[in-house]
Amino acid sequence: MNEATANWPILLGLQQRALSAADEAELAFLIANETWHLLPYKQSAVFLIDSFGRPQLKVVSGLVSALEDTPFTLWITRICALLLNDPSTTSESRRLTALSLPSELREGWREWWPENALYQPMTTPAGKLVGIAMYVRDEAWQDDEVDTMKL
């Protein structure tokens, strides 16, 4: 059994739980907190795209509430908005480090996040962007791991 097939039971369980989620809040919580079983990460954030195309932070793993405007939540929302306005990142997974960001956002990275992040767009089967998940950890994201985390 290779690594990809070893994840099938986990993927199936996550899919079943996602399909039975009562609302978008439960689904966002699942994406932020339970995908860790596929590949470990230190923290995740899930944004849903509002009707105006803006990212709305819904869940940050490890935080009781992501709805408060704190320096951290404002900072990651700025990162997400920046990436959404970059046509090269809207629909494709992207590995990020502090050097991927403009200088005014780099300081926050050193304060709040480990070295490596994965920007993962969430799309409908028709390709419409409905949300973004961001996963952070110390180790660099490998190609097969990026594929595993596609939502």
Side-chain angles (χ1 to χ4, degrees):
M1 183 182 301
N2 65 30
E3 187 176 335
T5 57
N7 284 331
W8 287 354
I10 297 168
L11 286 168
L12 182 59
L14 288 171
Q15 180 185 34
Q16 289 170 339
R17 291 180 61 199
L19 291 171
S20 65
D23 55 27
E24 71 179 24
E26 186 178 341
L27 181 59
F29 180 88
L30 175 77
I31 293 167
N33 292 288
E34 299 299 323
T35 50
W36 180 88
H37 296 289
L38 288 172
L39 290 167
Y41 48 84
K42 285 195 172 188
Q43 190 171 47
S44 64
V46 174
F47 295 84
L48 297 180
I49 307 303
D50 70 13
S51 58
F52 298 103
R54 297 176 303 208
Q56 300 298 308
L57 182 60
K58 295 298 179 183
V59 179
V60 176
S61 64
L63 292 184
V64 174
S65 173
L67 302 179
E68 296 177 31
D69 285 341
T70 66
F72 172 70
T73 61
L74 292 170
W75 175 77
I76 62 173
T77 300
R78 285 180 60 203
I79 290 173
C80 191
L82 174 82
L83 294 168
L84 275 174
N85 289 320
D86 181 350
S88 69
T89 60
T90 300
S91 61
E92 295 294 323
S93 301
R94 182 173 172 186
R95 294 173 189 92
L96 302 169
T97 66
L99 295 176
S100 307
L101 302 177
S103 59
E104 67 270 12
L105 293 174
R106 288 182 191 159
E107 187 59 38
W109 192 296
R110 288 189 272 290
E111 183 175 347
W112 290 305
W113 270 1
E115 189 172 341
N116 296 283
L118 176 63
Y119 167 91
Q120 183 58 62
M122 298 182 294
T123 59
T124 66
K128 179 183 178 196
L129 182 68
V130 294
I132 291 149
M134 296 184 72
Y135 302 99
V136 295
R137 67 183 194 185
D138 293 321
E139 304 82 22
W141 292 92
Q142 303 302 311
D143 290 342
D144 61 328
E145 294 174 321
V146 171
D147 290 341
T148 298
M149 297 304 277
K150 287 188 177 172
L151 304 170

